[in-house]
């Protein structure tokens, strides 16, 4: 199975000249499914959501998505308090935690947005237990968890790590091997998370922004993720405003072993 991972498109702060190259590159990659990990828009305005809706309508492959913190109104406190995901559901998708099952994989969306938090994510005990049951019952299928906020990040990152993220990682380690796809930080990271006893049951793929001008030292990018049996390959596809072409930057191959995910050289 092949996935294309997009995140942090940020329409309202997006580079319009990169939209056609990104769509063309995704089409050329020919994924079975496009997964979009939130932050479609910059400020949850209708005009920005129209552009985001136009983008997903131009995708030539099936897609699913979860919302990000920017997809919730910031300057409309009433809407934020009472209907935080109403605009997302109207313009993008009615379901904020989609799930797709195939013969080889299960892709699980987790909504980590929180109406009372401007930036920081949240995962609840109910969500943790739900995902754990899916991982435990997956059998030979690879479980892919998609969320906007990363569950773990390096100490030098200024943003606060998601509330409940560490608890989720520790709990899911005991449920079985799985992969987490996320965004939010506008940086690229592919690595296992070692929770306890050197068991790396979680393979994390954090992807940077697909279209935003808010670059943090990295280029615009998306990921092509291939799942073949117990092996996962994450290919980084990058572009700049000068090149306007997405090309392979790097490739990371991990295989599920007895002690968890091991990088293949």
């Amino acid at each position: 199975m092949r996935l294309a991972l997009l995140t942090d498109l940020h329409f309202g702060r997006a580079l319009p000249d990169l939209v056609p190259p990104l769509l063309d590159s995704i089409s050329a990659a020919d994924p079975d499914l496009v997964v979009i990990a939130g932050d479609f828009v910059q400020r949850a305005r209708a005009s920005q959501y129209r552009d985001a809706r136009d983008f997903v309508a131009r995708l030539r492959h099936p897609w699913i998505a979860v919302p990000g913190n920017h997809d919730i109104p910031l300057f409309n406190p009433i809407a934020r308090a009472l209907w935080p995901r109403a605009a997302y559901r109207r313009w993008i998708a009615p379901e904020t935690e989609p799930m797709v099952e195939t013969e080889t994989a299960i892709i699980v969306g987790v909504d980590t947005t929180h109406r009372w938090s401007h930036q920081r994510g949240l995962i609840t005990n109910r969500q943790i237990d739900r995902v754990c049951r899916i991982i435990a019952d997956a059998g030979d299928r690879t479980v892919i968890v998609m969320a906007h906020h990363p569950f773990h990040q390096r100490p030098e990152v200024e943003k606060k790590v998601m509330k409940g993220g560490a608890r989720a990682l520790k709990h899911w380690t005991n449920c079985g091997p799985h992969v987490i796809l996320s965004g939010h930080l506008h940086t690229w990271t592919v690595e296992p998370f070692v929770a306890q006893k050197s068991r790396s049951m979680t393979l994390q793929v954090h992807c940077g922004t697909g279209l935003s001008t808010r670059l943090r030292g990295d280029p615009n990018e998306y990921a092509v993720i291939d799942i073949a049996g117990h092996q996962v390959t994450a290919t980084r596809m990058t572009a700049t405003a000068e090149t306007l072409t997405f090309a392979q930057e790097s490739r990371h191959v991990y295989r599920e072993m007895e002690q968890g995910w091991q990088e293949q050289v």
Side-chain angles (χ1 to χ4, degrees):
M1 185 178 190
R2 169 168 283 190
L3 306 176
L5 169 63
L6 305 178
T7 186
D8 297 275
L9 299 172
H10 285 287
F11 283 97
R13 285 288 301 271
L15 288 166
D17 290 343
L18 268 184
V19 171
L22 178 57
L23 289 168
D24 289 343
S25 182
I26 294 169
S27 181
D30 194 23
D32 297 289
L33 184 68
V34 179
V35 292
I36 310 174
D39 275 5
F40 282 82
V41 295
Q42 182 66 17
R43 283 291 171 253
R45 298 189 176 104
S47 60
Q48 297 172 2
Y49 265 122
R50 288 190 189 98
D51 290 340
R53 182 64 209 178
D54 178 68
F55 176 85
V56 296
R58 293 166 66 187
L59 289 170
R60 299 163 201 169
H61 294 80
W63 61 273
I64 60 171
V66 294
N69 53 292
H70 278 266
D71 298 325
I72 291 178
L74 178 61
F75 299 118
N76 186 339
I78 294 177
R80 188 176 183 90
L82 299 179
W83 315 287
R85 299 168 184 83
Y88 176 90
R89 288 190 168 107
R90 175 186 177 188
W91 294 103
I92 305 300
E95 177 59 67
T96 65
E97 294 194 321
M99 186 168 78
V100 172
E101 297 189 57
T102 73
E103 293 181 357
T104 59
I106 304 175
I107 299 93
V108 185
V110 178
D111 182 355
T112 56
T113 59
H114 181 30
R115 75 184 71 199
W116 304 125
S117 175
H118 171 211
Q119 188 178 90
R120 190 180 187 187
L122 169 72
I123 185 166
T124 65
N125 287 334
R126 174 181 285 186
Q127 290 171 310
I128 293 172
D129 291 342
R130 169 181 171 252
V131 172
C132 183
R133 289 193 298 270
I134 293 170
I135 295 172
D137 296 340
D140 289 333
R141 293 185 290 178
T142 302
V143 176
I144 311 290
V145 180
M146 175 180 60
H148 176 65
H149 297 87
F151 290 72
H152 175 261
Q153 60 198 41
R154 295 191 173 101
E156 64 268 21
V157 175
E158 294 181 0
K159 293 182 178 180
K160 291 183 178 180
V161 70
M162 178 167 57
K163 189 174 181 180
R167 184 171 65 251
L169 287 173
K170 186 174 182 179
H171 193 55
W172 292 346
T173 290
N174 297 320
C175 301
H178 53 281
V179 182
I180 296 178
L181 311 180
S182 61
H184 187 56
L185 301 180
H186 293 209
T187 58
W188 174 267
T189 303
V190 180
E191 63 182 9
F193 174 78
V194 181
Q196 56 187 352
K197 298 180 180 178
S198 300
R199 297 176 68 214
S200 50
M201 291 299 173
T202 302
L203 177 62
Q204 302 181 98
V205 181
H206 308 321
C207 192
T209 172
L211 295 171
S212 176
T213 60
R214 300 178 68 191
L215 301 172
R216 299 190 174 100
D218 285 348
N220 292 100
E221 64 190 17
Y222 78 99
V224 175
I225 299 169
D226 290 297
I227 305 161
H230 296 282
Q231 183 166 293
V232 172
T233 302
T235 302
R236 186 185 190 190
M237 304 292 293
T238 64
T240 66
E242 290 74 29
T243 63
L244 294 180
T245 301
F246 283 86
Q248 179 176 320
E249 175 82 11
S250 61
R251 188 168 174 266
H252 311 264
V253 182
Y254 281 87
R255 188 165 184 81
E256 179 194 326
M257 312 290 279
E258 184 178 347
Q259 288 302 317
W261 295 99
Q262 303 291 323
E263 188 169 12
Q264 307 298 291
V265 180

